[in-house]
Coordinates of all heavy atoms in Angstrom, one line a residue:
M154 N 105.6 122.5 95.5 CA 104.1 122.5 95.7 C 103.7 123.8 96.5 O 104.2 124.1 97.5 CB 103.7 121.3 96.5 CG 102.2 121.1 96.9 SD 101.0 121.2 95.5 CE 101.6 119.8 94.5
E155 N 102.7 124.5 95.9 CA 102.3 125.8 96.4 C 101.2 125.7 97.5 O 100.3 124.8 97.4 CB 101.6 126.6 95.3 CG 102.6 127.1 94.2 CD 103.4 128.3 94.6 OE1 102.8 129.3 95.0 OE2 104.6 128.3 94.5
L156 N 101.3 126.5 98.5 CA 100.2 126.6 99.5 C 99.0 127.2 98.9 O 99.1 128.0 97.9 CB 100.6 127.5 100.6 CG 101.7 127.0 101.6 CD1 102.0 128.1 102.6 CD2 101.2 125.8 102.3
L157 N 97.8 126.8 99.4 CA 96.6 127.5 98.9 C 96.5 128.9 99.5 O 96.9 129.1 100.7 CB 95.4 126.7 99.4 CG 95.2 125.3 98.9 CD1 93.9 124.6 99.6 CD2 95.0 125.3 97.4
N158 N 96.1 129.8 98.7 CA 95.9 131.2 99.3 C 94.5 131.2 100.1 O 93.8 130.2 100.0 CB 96.0 132.3 98.3 CG 94.9 132.3 97.3 OD1 93.8 131.9 97.6 ND2 95.2 132.6 96.0
E159 N 94.2 132.3 100.7 CA 93.0 132.3 101.6 C 91.7 132.0 100.8 O 90.9 131.3 101.3 CB 92.9 133.6 102.3 CG 93.0 133.5 103.8 CD 93.0 134.9 104.5 OE1 92.0 135.4 104.7 OE2 94.2 135.4 104.7
A160 N 91.6 132.6 99.6 CA 90.4 132.4 98.8 C 90.3 131.0 98.3 O 89.2 130.4 98.4 CB 90.4 133.4 97.6
E161 N 91.4 130.4 97.9 CA 91.4 129.0 97.4 C 91.1 128.1 98.6 O 90.4 127.1 98.4 CB 92.8 128.7 96.9 CG 93.1 129.3 95.6 CD 94.6 129.2 95.2 OE1 95.5 129.0 96.1 OE2 94.9 129.4 94.0
R162 N 91.6 128.4 99.8 CA 91.3 127.5 100.9 C 89.8 127.6 101.3 O 89.2 126.6 101.6 CB 92.2 128.0 102.1 CG 92.2 127.0 103.3 CD 93.1 127.5 104.3 NE 92.6 128.7 105.0 CZ 93.3 129.5 105.7 NH1 94.6 129.4 105.7 NH2 92.7 130.6 106.3
A163 N 89.3 128.8 101.3 CA 87.8 128.9 101.6 C 87.0 128.1 100.6 O 86.0 127.5 101.0 CB 87.5 130.4 101.6
D164 N 87.3 128.3 99.3 CA 86.6 127.5 98.3 C 86.7 126.0 98.5 O 85.7 125.3 98.4 CB 87.2 127.8 96.9 CG 86.6 129.0 96.2 OD1 85.6 129.6 96.8 OD2 87.0 129.4 95.1
A165 N 87.9 125.6 98.8 CA 88.1 124.1 98.9 C 87.3 123.6 100.1 O 86.7 122.5 100.1 CB 89.6 123.9 99.1
L166 N 87.3 124.4 101.2 CA 86.6 123.9 102.4 C 85.1 123.9 102.2 O 84.4 123.1 102.8 CB 87.0 124.8 103.6 CG 88.4 124.5 104.2 CD1 88.9 125.6 105.2 CD2 88.5 123.1 104.8
D167 N 84.6 124.8 101.4 CA 83.2 124.8 101.0 C 82.8 123.5 100.4 O 81.7 123.0 100.6 CB 82.9 125.9 100.0 CG 82.6 127.2 100.7 OD1 82.5 127.3 101.9 OD2 82.5 128.2 100.0
G168 N 83.7 122.9 99.6 CA 83.5 121.6 99.0 C 83.7 120.4 99.9 O 83.5 119.3 99.5
L169 N 84.2 120.7 101.1 CA 84.6 119.6 102.0 C 83.9 119.9 103.4 O 84.5 120.1 104.4 CB 86.1 119.5 102.2 CG 86.9 119.1 101.0 CD1 88.4 119.3 101.3 CD2 86.6 117.7 100.6
P170 N 82.5 119.8 103.4 CA 81.8 120.3 104.6 C 82.1 119.4 105.9 O 81.8 119.9 107.0 CB 80.3 120.2 104.2 CG 80.3 119.2 103.0 CD 81.6 119.4 102.3
D171 N 82.6 118.2 105.7 CA 82.8 117.4 106.8 C 84.2 117.5 107.4 O 84.6 116.9 108.4 CB 82.6 115.9 106.5 CG 81.1 115.7 106.1 OD1 80.2 116.2 106.8 OD2 80.9 115.0 105.1
W172 N 85.0 118.4 106.8 CA 86.4 118.6 107.3 C 86.5 119.9 108.0 O 85.8 120.9 107.6 CB 87.4 118.6 106.1 CG 87.5 117.2 105.4 CD1 86.6 116.6 104.6 CD2 88.5 116.3 105.6 NE1 87.0 115.4 104.2 CE2 88.2 115.1 104.8 CE3 89.7 116.2 106.3 CZ2 89.0 114.0 104.8 CZ3 90.5 115.1 106.3 CH2 90.2 114.0 105.5
D173 N 87.3 120.0 109.0 CA 87.6 121.2 109.7 C 89.0 121.7 109.5 O 89.9 120.9 109.3 CB 87.5 121.0 111.3 CG 86.0 120.6 111.7 OD1 85.1 121.3 111.2 OD2 85.9 119.7 112.4
H174 N 89.1 123.1 109.5 CA 90.5 123.6 109.3 C 91.1 123.8 110.7 O 90.6 124.3 111.6 CB 90.4 125.0 108.6 CG 91.7 125.5 108.3 ND1 92.3 126.6 108.9 CD2 92.7 125.1 107.4 CE1 93.5 126.9 108.4 NE2 93.7 126.0 107.5
D175 N 92.4 123.2 110.8 CA 93.2 123.4 112.0 C 94.1 124.6 111.7 O 95.0 124.5 110.9 CB 94.0 122.1 112.2 CG 94.9 122.2 113.4 OD1 95.4 123.3 113.7 OD2 95.2 121.1 114.0
D176 N 93.8 125.7 112.4 CA 94.5 127.0 112.1 C 96.0 126.8 112.5 O 96.9 127.3 111.8 CB 93.9 128.1 112.9 CG 92.5 128.5 112.3 OD1 92.3 128.3 111.1 OD2 91.7 128.9 113.1
A177 N 96.2 126.2 113.6 CA 97.6 126.1 114.1 C 98.5 125.4 113.2 O 99.7 125.8 113.0 CB 97.6 125.4 115.5
R178 N 98.0 124.4 112.5 CA 98.8 123.5 111.6 C 98.7 123.9 110.2 O 99.4 123.5 109.3 CB 98.4 122.1 111.7 CG 98.8 121.4 113.1 CD 100.3 121.1 113.2 NE 100.9 120.4 112.0 CZ 100.9 119.1 111.8 NH1 100.3 118.3 112.6 NH2 101.5 118.6 110.7
D179 N 97.6 124.8 109.8 CA 97.2 124.9 108.4 C 97.0 123.5 107.8 O 97.7 123.1 106.9 CB 98.1 125.8 107.6 CG 97.5 126.2 106.3 OD1 96.2 126.1 106.1 OD2 98.2 126.5 105.3
A180 N 96.1 122.8 108.4 CA 95.8 121.4 108.0 C 94.2 121.3 108.0 O 93.5 122.1 108.5 CB 96.4 120.5 109.1
I181 N 93.8 120.2 107.5 CA 92.3 119.8 107.6 C 92.2 118.5 108.3 O 93.1 117.6 108.2 CB 91.6 119.8 106.2 CG1 92.4 118.9 105.2 CG2 91.4 121.2 105.7 CD1 91.6 118.8 103.9
T182 N 91.2 118.4 109.1 CA 91.0 117.2 109.9 C 89.5 116.7 109.7 O 88.6 117.4 109.5 CB 91.2 117.5 111.4 OG1 90.2 118.5 111.8 CG2 92.6 118.0 111.7
R183 N 89.4 115.4 109.8 CA 88.1 114.8 109.9 C 88.2 113.5 110.7 O 89.2 112.8 110.6 CB 87.5 114.4 108.5 CG 86.1 113.8 108.5 CD 85.5 113.6 107.2 NE 84.3 112.9 107.4 CZ 83.4 112.4 106.4 NH1 83.7 112.6 105.2 NH2 82.3 111.8 106.7
S184 N 87.1 113.2 111.5 CA 87.0 112.1 112.3 C 85.9 111.1 111.7 O 84.9 111.6 111.3 CB 86.6 112.5 113.7 OG 86.7 111.4 114.6
F185 N 86.3 109.9 111.5 CA 85.4 108.9 111.0 C 85.0 107.8 112.0 O 85.9 107.4 112.8 CB 86.0 108.1 109.8 CG 86.4 109.0 108.6 CD1 87.6 109.8 108.6 CD2 85.5 109.2 107.6 CE1 87.9 110.6 107.6 CE2 85.8 110.0 106.5 CZ 87.0 110.7 106.5
T186 N 83.8 107.5 112.1 CA 83.4 106.4 113.1 C 82.7 105.3 112.4 O 81.8 105.5 111.5 CB 82.4 107.0 114.2 OG1 83.0 108.2 114.8 CG2 82.1 106.0 115.3
F187 N 83.1 104.1 112.7 CA 82.5 102.9 112.1 C 81.8 102.0 113.1 O 81.8 102.4 114.3 CB 83.7 102.1 111.4 CG 84.3 102.9 110.3 CD1 85.4 103.8 110.6 CD2 83.8 103.0 109.0 CE1 86.0 104.5 109.6 CE2 84.4 103.7 108.0 CZ 85.5 104.5 108.4
D188 N 81.3 100.9 112.7 CA 80.6 100.0 113.6 C 81.5 99.2 114.5 O 81.1 98.8 115.6 CB 79.7 99.0 112.9 CG 78.5 99.7 112.2 OD1 78.1 100.8 112.7 OD2 77.9 99.1 111.3
N189 N 82.7 99.0 114.0 CA 83.7 98.2 114.8 C 85.1 98.4 114.3 O 85.3 99.1 113.3 CB 83.3 96.7 114.7 CG 83.1 96.3 113.2 OD1 84.0 96.5 112.4 ND2 81.9 95.7 112.9
F190 N 86.1 97.7 114.9 CA 87.5 97.9 114.5 C 87.7 97.4 113.1 O 88.5 98.0 112.4 CB 88.4 97.2 115.5 CG 89.8 97.2 115.1 CD1 90.6 98.3 115.2 CD2 90.4 96.0 114.6 CE1 91.9 98.3 114.8 CE2 91.7 96.0 114.2 CZ 92.5 97.2 114.3
S191 N 87.1 96.3 112.8 CA 87.4 95.7 111.4 C 87.0 96.7 110.3 O 87.8 96.8 109.3 CB 86.6 94.4 111.2 OG 87.1 93.4 112.0
Q192 N 85.9 97.3 110.5 CA 85.5 98.3 109.4 C 86.4 99.5 109.4 O 86.8 100.0 108.4 CB 84.1 98.7 109.7 CG 83.0 97.7 109.3 CD 81.6 98.1 109.4 OE1 81.4 99.3 109.5 NE2 80.7 97.2 109.4
A193 N 86.8 99.9 110.6 CA 87.8 101.1 110.7 C 89.1 100.7 110.0 O 89.7 101.5 109.2 CB 88.0 101.5 112.1
F194 N 89.6 99.5 110.3 CA 90.9 99.1 109.7 C 90.8 98.9 108.2 O 91.7 99.2 107.5 CB 91.5 97.9 110.5 CG 92.9 97.8 110.3 CD1 93.8 98.6 111.0 CD2 93.4 96.9 109.3 CE1 95.2 98.5 110.8 CE2 94.8 96.8 109.1 CZ 95.7 97.6 109.8
A195 N 89.7 98.3 107.8 CA 89.5 98.2 106.3 C 89.5 99.5 105.6 O 90.1 99.7 104.6 CB 88.2 97.4 106.0
F196 N 88.9 100.5 106.2 CA 88.9 101.9 105.7 C 90.4 102.4 105.7 O 90.8 103.0 104.7 CB 88.0 102.8 106.6 CG 88.2 104.2 106.4 CD1 87.7 104.9 105.2 CD2 88.8 105.0 107.3 CE1 87.8 106.2 105.0 CE2 89.0 106.4 107.2 CZ 88.5 107.0 106.0
M197 N 91.1 102.2 106.7 CA 92.5 102.6 106.8 C 93.3 102.0 105.7 O 94.2 102.6 105.1 CB 93.1 102.3 108.2 CG 92.5 103.2 109.3 SD 93.1 102.8 110.9 CE 94.7 103.7 110.9
T198 N 93.0 100.7 105.4 CA 93.8 100.0 104.3 C 93.5 100.7 103.0 O 94.4 100.9 102.2 CB 93.3 98.5 104.3 OG1 93.6 97.9 105.6 CG2 94.1 97.8 103.2
Q199 N 92.2 101.0 102.8 CA 91.9 101.7 101.5 C 92.6 103.1 101.4 O 93.1 103.4 100.4 CB 90.4 101.9 101.4 CG 89.6 100.6 101.2 CD 88.1 100.9 101.0 OE1 87.5 101.3 102.0 NE2 87.6 100.8 99.8
V200 N 92.6 103.8 102.5 CA 93.2 105.1 102.5 C 94.7 104.9 102.3 O 95.4 105.7 101.6 CB 93.0 105.9 103.9 CG1 93.8 107.2 103.9 CG2 91.5 106.2 104.0
A201 N 95.3 103.9 102.9 CA 96.8 103.7 102.8 C 97.1 103.5 101.3 O 98.2 104.0 100.8 CB 97.2 102.5 103.6
M202 N 96.3 102.7 100.6 CA 96.6 102.5 99.2 C 96.5 103.7 98.4 O 97.3 104.0 97.5 CB 95.7 101.3 98.7 CG 96.2 100.0 99.3 SD 95.4 98.5 98.6 CE 93.8 98.7 99.2
L203 N 95.4 104.6 98.7 CA 95.3 105.9 98.0 C 96.6 106.7 98.3 O 97.1 107.4 97.4 CB 94.1 106.6 98.5 CG 92.7 106.2 98.1 CD1 91.7 107.2 98.8 CD2 92.5 106.4 96.6
A204 N 97.0 106.7 99.5 CA 98.1 107.6 99.9 C 99.4 107.1 99.2 O 100.2 108.0 98.8 CB 98.3 107.5 101.5
E205 N 99.6 105.8 99.1 CA 100.8 105.4 98.4 C 100.8 105.8 97.0 O 101.8 106.2 96.4 CB 100.9 103.8 98.6 CG 101.7 103.4 99.8 CD 103.1 103.9 99.8 OE1 104.0 103.3 99.2 OE2 103.4 105.0 100.4
K206 N 99.6 105.6 96.4 CA 99.5 105.9 94.9 C 99.8 107.4 94.7 O 100.5 107.8 93.7 CB 98.1 105.6 94.4 CG 98.1 105.2 93.0 CD 96.7 104.9 92.5 CE 96.2 103.5 92.8 NZ 94.8 103.2 92.3
A207 N 99.3 108.3 95.6 CA 99.5 109.7 95.5 C 100.8 110.2 96.1 O 101.1 111.4 96.0 CB 98.3 110.4 96.1
D208 N 101.5 109.3 96.7 CA 102.7 109.8 97.5 C 102.3 110.9 98.4 O 103.0 111.9 98.5 CB 103.9 110.1 96.6 CG 105.2 110.3 97.4 OD1 105.3 109.7 98.5 OD2 106.1 111.0 97.0
H209 N 101.2 110.8 99.1 CA 100.7 111.8 100.0 C 100.0 111.1 101.2 O 99.0 110.5 101.0 CB 99.8 112.8 99.3 CG 99.6 114.1 100.0 ND1 100.6 115.0 100.1 CD2 98.5 114.6 100.6 CE1 100.2 116.0 100.8 NE2 98.9 115.8 101.1
H210 N 100.6 111.3 102.4 CA 100.2 110.4 103.5 C 99.5 111.2 104.6 O 100.0 112.3 105.0 CB 101.5 109.7 104.0 CG 102.2 108.9 102.9 ND1 103.1 109.4 102.0 CD2 102.0 107.6 102.5 CE1 103.4 108.5 101.2 NE2 102.8 107.4 101.5
P211 N 98.5 110.5 105.2 CA 97.8 111.2 106.3 C 98.6 111.1 107.6 O 99.4 110.2 107.8 CB 96.5 110.4 106.4 CG 96.9 109.0 105.9 CD 98.0 109.2 104.9
E212 N 98.4 112.1 108.5 CA 98.7 111.9 109.9 C 97.4 111.4 110.5 O 96.3 112.0 110.3 CB 99.1 113.3 110.5 CG 100.4 113.8 109.9 CD 100.8 115.1 110.6 OE1 100.5 115.3 111.8 OE2 101.4 116.0 109.8
W213 N 97.4 110.3 111.2 CA 96.2 109.7 111.6 C 96.4 108.9 112.9 O 97.5 108.5 113.3 CB 95.5 108.9 110.5 CG 96.3 107.8 109.9 CD1 97.5 107.3 110.3 CD2 95.8 106.9 108.9 NE1 97.8 106.2 109.5 CE2 96.8 106.0 108.6 CE3 94.7 106.9 108.1 CZ2 96.7 105.0 107.6 CZ3 94.6 106.0 107.1 CH2 95.6 105.0 106.9
S214 N 95.2 108.7 113.6 CA 95.2 107.7 114.7 C 93.9 106.9 114.7 O 92.9 107.4 114.1 CB 95.4 108.5 116.0 OG 94.2 109.3 116.3
N215 N 94.0 105.8 115.3 CA 92.8 104.9 115.3 C 92.6 104.4 116.8 O 93.6 104.1 117.4 CB 93.1 103.7 114.4 CG 92.2 102.5 114.7 OD1 92.8 101.4 115.1 ND2 90.9 102.6 114.7
V216 N 91.4 104.5 117.2 CA 91.0 103.9 118.5 C 89.8 103.1 118.2 O 88.7 103.7 117.9 CB 90.8 105.0 119.6 CG1 90.4 104.3 120.9 CG2 92.0 105.9 119.8
W217 N 89.9 101.8 118.3 CA 88.8 100.9 118.0 C 88.0 101.2 116.8 O 88.5 100.9 115.7 CB 87.9 100.7 119.3 CG 86.8 99.7 119.0 CD1 87.0 98.4 118.6 CD2 85.4 99.8 119.1 NE1 85.9 97.7 118.4 CE2 84.8 98.6 118.7 CE3 84.5 100.8 119.5 CZ2 83.4 98.3 118.7 CZ3 83.2 100.6 119.5 CH2 82.6 99.4 119.1
N218 N 86.9 101.9 116.9 CA 86.0 102.1 115.7 C 86.2 103.5 115.1 O 85.5 103.9 114.2 CB 84.6 101.9 116.0 CG 84.0 102.9 117.0 OD1 84.7 103.6 117.7 ND2 82.7 103.1 117.0
R219 N 87.2 104.3 115.6 CA 87.3 105.7 115.2 C 88.7 105.9 114.5 O 89.7 105.3 115.0 CB 87.2 106.6 116.4 CG 86.9 108.0 116.0 CD 86.8 109.0 117.2 NE 88.2 109.3 117.7 CZ 88.6 109.2 118.9 NH1 87.8 108.7 119.9 NH2 89.8 109.5 119.3
V220 N 88.6 106.6 113.4 CA 89.9 107.0 112.7 C 89.9 108.5 112.6 O 89.0 109.1 112.0 CB 89.9 106.4 111.3 CG1 91.2 106.7 110.6 CG2 89.8 104.8 111.4
D221 N 90.9 109.2 113.1 CA 91.1 110.6 113.1 C 92.2 110.9 112.0 O 93.3 110.4 112.2 CB 91.5 111.2 114.4 CG 90.4 111.0 115.5 OD1 89.2 111.1 115.1 OD2 90.7 110.8 116.6
I222 N 91.8 111.7 111.1 CA 92.8 112.0 110.0 C 93.1 113.5 109.9 O 92.2 114.4 110.0 CB 92.2 111.6 108.6 CG1 92.0 110.1 108.6 CG2 93.1 112.0 107.5 CD1 91.5 109.5 107.3
L223 N 94.4 113.8 109.8 CA 94.8 115.2 109.6 C 95.7 115.2 108.3 O 96.5 114.4 108.1 CB 95.7 115.7 110.7 CG 96.2 117.1 110.7 CD1 96.3 117.7 112.1 CD2 97.6 117.2 110.0
L224 N 95.3 116.1 107.4 CA 96.1 116.3 106.1 C 96.7 117.7 106.0 O 96.1 118.7 106.3 CB 95.1 116.1 104.9 CG 94.4 114.8 104.8 CD1 93.3 114.9 103.7 CD2 95.3 113.7 104.5
T225 N 98.0 117.7 105.7 CA 98.7 118.9 105.4 C 99.9 118.5 104.6 O 100.2 117.3 104.4 CB 99.2 119.6 106.7 OG1 99.7 120.9 106.4 CG2 100.2 118.8 107.5
T226 N 100.5 119.5 103.9 CA 101.6 119.1 103.0 C 102.9 119.6 103.7 O 103.2 120.8 103.8 CB 101.4 119.8 101.6 OG1 100.2 119.3 101.1 CG2 102.6 119.4 100.7
H227 N 103.7 118.6 104.1 CA 104.9 119.0 105.0 C 105.8 119.8 104.2 O 106.4 120.8 104.7 CB 105.5 117.7 105.4 CG 104.6 116.8 106.2 ND1 104.5 115.4 105.9 CD2 103.6 117.1 107.1 CE1 103.5 114.9 106.7 NE2 103.0 115.9 107.4
E228 N 106.0 119.4 102.9 CA 107.1 120.1 102.1 C 106.6 121.5 101.8 O 107.5 122.4 101.4 CB 107.5 119.3 100.9 CG 106.4 118.9 100.0 CD 106.8 117.6 99.2 OE1 107.8 117.0 99.5 OE2 106.0 117.2 98.3
A229 N 105.3 121.8 101.9 CA 104.8 123.2 101.6 C 104.6 124.0 102.9 O 104.4 125.2 102.9 CB 103.5 123.2 100.8
G230 N 104.6 123.3 104.0 CA 104.4 123.9 105.3 C 102.9 124.3 105.6 O 102.6 125.2 106.3
G231 N 102.0 123.6 104.9 CA 100.6 123.9 105.1 C 99.7 123.2 104.1 O 100.2 122.3 103.4
L232 N 98.5 123.8 103.9 CA 97.6 123.1 103.0 C 97.9 123.4 101.5 O 98.2 124.6 101.1 CB 96.2 123.7 103.2 CG 95.2 123.0 104.2 CD1 93.9 123.6 104.1 CD2 95.2 121.5 103.9
S233 N 97.9 122.4 100.7 CA 98.1 122.5 99.3 C 97.0 121.8 98.5 O 96.2 121.1 99.2 CB 99.5 121.9 98.9 OG 99.4 120.5 98.8
P234 N 97.0 121.9 97.2 CA 95.9 121.2 96.5 C 96.0 119.7 96.7 O 95.0 119.0 96.5 CB 96.2 121.5 95.0 CG 96.9 122.9 95.1 CD 97.7 122.8 96.4
R235 N 97.2 119.2 97.0 CA 97.3 117.7 97.2 C 96.4 117.2 98.4 O 95.9 116.1 98.4 CB 98.7 117.3 97.5 CG 99.7 117.6 96.4 CD 101.1 117.2 96.7 NE 101.2 115.7 96.6 CZ 102.3 115.1 96.9 NH1 103.4 115.7 97.3 NH2 102.4 113.8 96.8
D236 N 96.3 118.1 99.4 CA 95.5 117.8 100.6 C 94.0 117.7 100.2 O 93.2 116.9 100.7 CB 95.7 118.8 101.7 CG 97.1 118.8 102.1 OD1 97.7 117.7 102.5 OD2 97.8 119.8 102.0
I237 N 93.6 118.7 99.4 CA 92.2 118.7 99.0 C 91.9 117.5 98.1 O 90.8 116.9 98.3 CB 91.9 120.1 98.2 CG1 92.4 121.3 99.0 CG2 90.5 120.1 97.7 CD1 91.8 121.4 100.4
D238 N 92.8 117.2 97.2 CA 92.5 116.0 96.4 C 92.4 114.7 97.2 O 91.6 113.9 97.0 CB 93.7 115.8 95.4 CG 93.8 116.9 94.3 OD1 92.8 117.6 94.2 OD2 94.8 117.0 93.6
M239 N 93.3 114.6 98.2 CA 93.3 113.4 99.1 C 92.0 113.4 99.9 O 91.4 112.3 100.1 CB 94.5 113.4 100.0 CG 94.6 112.2 100.9 SD 94.7 110.6 100.1 CE 96.1 110.9 99.0
A240 N 91.6 114.6 100.4 CA 90.3 114.6 101.2 C 89.1 114.2 100.4 O 88.3 113.4 100.8 CB 90.1 116.0 101.8
Q241 N 89.1 114.6 99.1 CA 88.0 114.3 98.2 C 88.0 112.8 98.0 O 87.0 112.1 98.0 CB 88.1 115.0 96.9 CG 87.7 116.5 97.1 CD 88.0 117.3 95.9 OE1 88.8 116.9 95.0 NE2 87.5 118.6 95.8
A242 N 89.2 112.2 97.8 CA 89.3 110.8 97.5 C 88.9 110.0 98.8 O 88.2 108.9 98.6 CB 90.7 110.4 97.1
I243 N 89.2 110.4 99.9 CA 88.9 109.7 101.2 C 87.4 109.8 101.4 O 86.7 108.8 101.7 CB 89.6 110.3 102.4 CG1 91.1 110.0 102.3 CG2 89.0 109.9 103.7 CD1 92.0 110.8 103.3
D244 N 86.8 111.0 101.1 CA 85.3 111.1 101.3 C 84.6 110.2 100.3 O 83.6 109.6 100.7 CB 84.9 112.6 100.9 CG 85.0 113.5 102.1 OD1 85.4 113.1 103.2 OD2 84.8 114.7 101.9
A245 N 85.1 110.0 99.1 CA 84.5 109.1 98.1 C 84.4 107.7 98.6 O 83.5 106.9 98.2 CB 85.2 109.2 96.8
L246 N 85.4 107.3 99.5 CA 85.4 105.9 100.0 C 84.2 105.7 100.9 O 83.8 104.5 101.1 CB 86.7 105.7 100.8 CG 88.0 105.6 100.1 CD1 89.1 105.5 101.1 CD2 88.0 104.5 99.1
V247 N 83.7 106.7 101.6 CA 82.6 106.5 102.6 C 81.3 107.0 102.1 O 80.3 107.0 102.9 CB 83.0 107.2 104.0 CG1 84.2 106.5 104.6 CG2 83.3 108.7 103.8
E248 N 81.2 107.5 100.9 CA 79.9 108.1 100.4 C 78.9 106.9 100.2 O 79.3 105.8 99.8 CB 80.1 108.8 99.1 CG 80.2 110.3 99.4 CD 80.8 111.1 98.2 OE1 80.9 110.5 97.1 OE2 81.2 112.3 98.5
Ligands
HBI477 N1 102.5 113.4 102.8 N2 100.9 114.6 103.9 C1 102.1 114.6 103.2 N3 102.8 115.7 103.0 C2 104.0 115.7 102.4 O1 104.7 116.7 102.2 C3 104.5 114.4 101.9 C4 103.7 113.3 102.2 N4 104.1 112.1 101.7 C5 105.3 111.9 101.0 C6 106.1 113.1 100.8 N5 105.7 114.3 101.2 C7 107.3 113.0 100.0 O2 107.1 113.6 98.7 C8 108.5 113.7 100.6 O3 108.5 113.6 102.0 C9 109.8 113.2 100.0

């Protein structure tokens, strides 16, 4: 799996306005806030099923109604198209 080059990364991030680039990790991050823990955990369940299907898993944490997600491709050592695809699929869950 190939890393995104700088131009590809810039293009991808233009299409993901709610995600931030973590320079240190070459990762993308987004924080989601829900009304309560049940909604947050239901969202995590949906993301978990997407992740299993894609064999591409988030680094994440949950505190009550908040879910923080970081995506990067470990085997590539940074951002790859798989992260962009996963971010788009996650965004579609909350649109
Ligand atoms: N998830 N985010 C992420 N990055 C990976 O490189 C990755 C993964 N899930 C599974 C996976 N790689 C496997 O393909 C390998 O660890 C075997």
